[in-house]
Amino acid sequence: MAPQGPEIGAVGAEGSLALRLARRMTDQAPQSATPRPVFVSALSISGIIDRELLAEGDAELRRIGRVLTADRLTYWPVEDEAEALGNVRLEQGDDVFLGTHGRLKIEDQVGFLDQASYFLKRKPLAGSAAGGSTVVRGMAVEDESGEPETGFATPRALTIKPGQTEIKVSRKQRTLIGEARGDADRVDLEGENQYHLTRATFTTCKPGNDDWYLSAEDLRLDYDNEVGTGDDATLRFLGVPILHSPWVSFSLSDEPKSGFLIPTYGTSSRSGLEVAVPYYWRIAPNMDSTIEPTILSKRGLLLGADFRYLDLLDGWPYRGRVHVAFLPNDRQTNTNRWAFNLMHTQPTTASGFSGSINYTKVSDNDYYTDLSNQITSTSQTQLLQQGVISYGGMGWWTATTNVQSFQTLQPDPQNPVSKPYRLYPQFTLNARQPDLFATDSAFFGQYTHFVHPDPNMVEGQRTVLQPQVSLPYVTPGWYVTPRAGVNVTHYSLVQPVSAVGAPDSINRTLPIMSVDSGMTFERSTNLFGREYAQTLEPRLMYLYIPYTDQNDIPVFDTALADFNFTQIFADNRFSGWDRINNANQLTAALSSRLIDPASGAEIMRGMIGEIFYFTPNKVVLPGTTTAQSDRSDFLAAFSGQVYPKVYADAALQYNFADQQFQRYALGARYVPELGKILSALYSYNNQTSPQINQVDISGQWPITGHWQAVGRYNYSFVNDNPVEIIGGLEYNAGCWALRTVAHRVQTTQSSSSTQFFVQLELTGLAGLGNNPLNFLQRRIPGYAVGPVQTDRALGD
């Protein structure tokens, strides 16, 4: 209280009194501290000024940030301590505590409540528990695959200066458990964000709903470190105990901690019942590991481990990941099965150097088809083994060294896979000066040493030099860019013994000239009752390259490039340098866009394009021919919103000479709101081997009440069987969700694998079973997750 004593306020309703007390500055308080007033109201107030205040009947004590009410309150101003008796209610921010008796130091938030109920509410945090940015000696980056970087500080922005030894990382927003509640014989408040509960329960379900709860003899909730721990804990679901542990630990946010994760269960037709017991080890803020032994009932024990790191070298960040897996004495094959993958990325350093390593190797051809149920893994036939070092310190030029090999898998005897050449090594130089004497000048140079594992294949060295210069003329409505260059290629070859008379040295020189031009027209238009800006954008490019016979040149890394809107404006219809087409041609394209003038968003886009040949293409790959036509295939594409919440995509490639479609795709999506999506796609392509002719239907849709369905059906008319089938149901009760998913994938032409996911997710605590969420997000376009699921540790 202030020295002049309490200020007595007006008499309130029913004769209640209100007092305003200003705390006296004590020797224990900092001299610079500002007294925080305390407001007390009750039907009856009595006491001794500066020593003790007794409030009875609807008693209430208020201070900024907290409110304490009870039938009877005693407050000691000097100690800033209050005792409450009968119908006690304490509000601290969004947290609420109810009890029969309590004692509390108001400012320090230290005290206890007996026979208490509690309700805790937290908001998302950015970065650390304190929010905002955090300085770490390490690096934090997004995972290329899109998977969550569990345990790492993942930034939205990362600014690094040469030579600095610390990075200030603006971390992605993390989420604490939004709401939690329970009962306890006693709640001890041990400071801000620190709670100790005796004989307590914990759940994230709404009041009146006890579908699941965790009971513990001793429970501690530490929101500063975002972790909860309990002794003698039992987890109950729908009144049935499903898990008991003498000690339990769980994360209070979506960032995990070291400890055993919830075991996962599943089944597949190839490996039988699968039970995994992962252990997550947060080694350091920039380093973690997950060790995951998995029991496969048909095969044995698969031991897997992932190790990830983020760190600095001379003040510049690098990152890496190592994955190993070992299955000793697979009972199905009677062999040891293993896999190894190393990925390391070192971005540009202060010296201008950067680099990366990507090395993958497995024990046998059938490793992925036997032990993986992901279609992206089972379809792998070439495992990359590559190391790259680049230098770009000057800004206008870069140099790269690349060493590259592959492990070629042959999982399907009916479709043998050819082995690619190895690059031992490859040196590349790129340079560009966009404003050199009013020209845009560029240079490309490359030396490659090709080695093949088959001694009957030609090997050799290829050197490519290609300088070019262009003179762009650009105005707001149109542009013209003439360009001239020359390609000089030299081959030094080592022919196999069987290639009698084949040359050991080949030179090729080809001039390349082009003129690219385009215009942009714009007008206002009305569609579906709304105003839009519509563009019309014609483009013409003339290209000339003389013909030279290239049949003696071996094919090291060259194939016919995909025919699309980008490629028709390219110099070469081949990828790689072993073939350069002759050209005397004009490429014409027309595109039109519909743009929302208010937001600038593109609503829809349509394009058509074609190449007109003045002389026929003569350059071919071995064993192929080129069409003798005066025009290329016709391309057309459309993408955009065709109706509110309805989107369509279409593309086609049509050959006028043969009067047939080479390929086409038609797709549509209906997305009325988040969690509702239906999509269908039909695709046809007769230029691939095997031919593609398939339909793909997928969706996610609420059925009724808490139920929703998810599914995908991808059927191939060529093989007359499904490529992939997914079917699942989810029951979402708000504080828990039950998901069941079945997945069948065609691993080869003659075999398939089936997998089942069953997961019980207890929101804010853990997920029991095999988590299908990441799988569904990858395989169902537009799939939206309900309650956020995160693997959480339940013990060290």
Side-chain angles (χ1 to χ4, degrees), residues 4 27 99 111-112 120 195 296 357 375 391 409 417 420 451 480 502 513 606 613-614 618 632 650 710 743 766 790 795:
Q4 71 272 22
D27 294 338
F112 69 88
L120 307 177
Y195 307 111
L296 308 176
I357 298 173
I375 193 170
Y391 177 77
L409 306 182
V417 180
V451 178
V480 176
M513 292 173 286
Y613 303 112
F614 304 120
K618 299 179 182 179
S632 72
V710 63
H743 177 223
T790 306

Side-chain angles (χ1 to χ4, degrees), residues 191-432:
E192 186 177 7
N193 297 322
Q194 303 289 326
Y195 307 111
H196 179 200
L197 299 86
T198 304
R199 288 181 290 279
T201 63
F202 176 91
T203 183
T204 59
C205 294
K206 297 292 184 182
N209 179 1
D210 290 328
D211 285 353
W212 75 265
Y213 62 90
L214 179 73
S215 61
E217 187 67 22
D218 189 83
L219 182 64
R220 291 183 178 271
L221 303 178
D222 180 354
Y223 280 97
D224 287 332
N225 294 307
E226 302 167 15
V227 62
T229 58
D231 295 332
D232 193 15
T234 301
L235 180 62
R236 287 177 171 85
F237 177 66
L238 299 180
V240 179
I242 59 174
L243 183 67
H244 178 80
S245 174
W247 186 84
V248 66
S249 174
F250 55 93
S251 177
L252 293 174
S253 74
D254 58 2
E255 286 212 359
K257 60 181 293 294
S258 294
F260 284 104
L261 304 177
I262 291 292
T264 62
Y265 310 91
T267 181
S268 70
S269 56
R270 287 179 172 267
S271 299
L273 179 65
E274 302 176 4
V275 180
V277 185
Y279 180 86
Y280 176 76
W281 182 17
R282 189 179 174 90
I283 304 171
N286 64 333
M287 187 181 302
D288 73 355
S289 178
T290 302
I291 303 167
E292 186 170 351
T294 304
I295 299 174
L296 308 176
S297 63
K298 291 184 179 181
R299 298 183 181 276
L301 178 63
L302 175 65
L303 301 173
D306 281 284
F307 171 71
R308 299 181 298 180
Y309 56 88
L310 311 171
D311 215 329
L312 295 174
L313 178 63
D314 296 329
W316 294 83
Y318 65 88
R319 65 175 305 195
R321 178 193 296 249
V322 180
H323 170 77
V324 294
F326 180 62
L327 175 61
N329 192 25
D330 184 342
R331 292 196 295 268
Q332 296 292 309
T333 63
N334 294 320
T335 60
N336 294 330
R337 316 286 295 276
W338 54 267
F340 175 80
N341 172 251
L342 167 64
M343 297 184 68
H344 176 91
T345 301
Q346 172 69 63
T348 304
T349 63
S351 62
F353 284 96
S354 62
S356 66
I357 298 173
N358 188 349
Y359 184 90
T360 303
K361 191 174 181 63
V362 297
S363 57
D364 55 85
N365 288 332
D366 299 315
Y367 180 87
Y368 288 115
T369 56
D370 285 349
L371 299 175
S372 175
N373 290 286
Q374 301 299 331
I375 193 170
T376 52
S377 297
T378 58
S379 61
Q380 289 189 95
T381 56
Q382 305 288 357
L383 304 184
L384 182 62
Q385 301 169 347
Q386 181 185 53
V388 178
I389 298 177
S390 298
Y391 177 77
M394 300 300 293
W396 60 275
W397 64 272
T398 60
T400 302
T401 300
N402 179 21
V403 177
Q404 178 177 292
S405 181
F406 293 90
Q407 180 186 0
T408 301
L409 306 182
Q410 305 280 359
D412 191 350
Q414 300 181 27
N415 290 297
V417 180
S418 60
K419 297 181 179 180
Y421 278 89
R422 300 167 179 171
L423 313 183
Y424 285 170
Q426 181 181 79
F427 301 106
T428 303
L429 176 66
N430 270 296
R432 184 188 177 194

Side-chain angles (χ1 to χ4, degrees), residues 564-756:
N564 53 45
F565 280 98
T566 300
Q567 197 278 326
I568 61 176
F569 287 97
D571 294 344
N572 196 7
R573 67 191 187 98
F574 300 100
S575 63
W577 297 104
D578 300 321
R579 295 291 185 273
I580 297 179
N581 55 240
N582 62 296
N584 182 14
Q585 64 192 44
L586 179 69
T587 302
L590 181 67
S591 63
S592 179
R593 294 179 294 152
L594 207 62
I595 300 172
D596 186 339
S599 64
E602 183 178 286
I603 305 302
M604 61 178 64
R605 174 196 292 259
M607 298 175 290
I608 57 173
E610 193 172 7
I611 304 175
F612 298 92
Y613 303 112
F614 304 120
T615 56
N617 287 317
K618 299 179 182 179
V619 180
V620 297
L621 291 169
T624 66
T625 60
T626 182
Q628 301 301 308
S629 175
D630 59 358
R631 61 197 300 182
S632 72
D633 291 346
F634 175 78
L635 291 177
F638 171 86
S639 178
Q641 184 177 354
V642 296
Y643 198 74
K645 303 175 183 178
V646 178
Y647 303 84
D649 300 282
L652 65 85
Q653 178 181 338
Y654 184 79
N655 188 298
F656 282 103
D658 298 335
Q659 295 186 349
Q660 68 175 10
F661 289 100
Q662 300 297 322
R663 59 179 175 174
Y664 55 87
L666 302 170
R669 304 184 310 279
Y670 175 54
V671 191
E673 61 185 61
L674 186 68
K676 289 184 178 181
I677 183 170
L678 297 174
S679 63
L681 173 67
Y682 175 76
S683 54
Y684 170 83
N685 190 340
N686 68 0
Q687 297 182 313
T688 60
S689 180
Q691 184 187 75
I692 295 175
N693 184 10
Q694 61 188 31
V695 63
D696 194 345
I697 302 172
S698 64
Q700 176 188 12
W701 202 264
I703 302 174
T704 178
H706 299 285
W707 289 95
Q708 77 165 0
V710 63
R712 180 176 183 179
Y713 186 76
N714 186 195
Y715 185 85
S716 171
F717 296 101
V718 175
N719 298 324
D720 198 25
N721 62 11
V723 177
E724 184 175 28
I725 301 175
I726 299 172
L729 287 173
E730 175 182 304
Y731 182 84
N732 190 332
C735 65
W736 62 273
L738 178 66
R739 301 183 180 95
T740 60
V741 178
H743 177 223
R744 178 191 180 276
V745 61
Q746 196 74 19
T747 54
T748 67
Q749 283 192 355
S750 58
S751 62
S752 64
S753 178
T754 303
Q755 184 182 24
F756 295 96

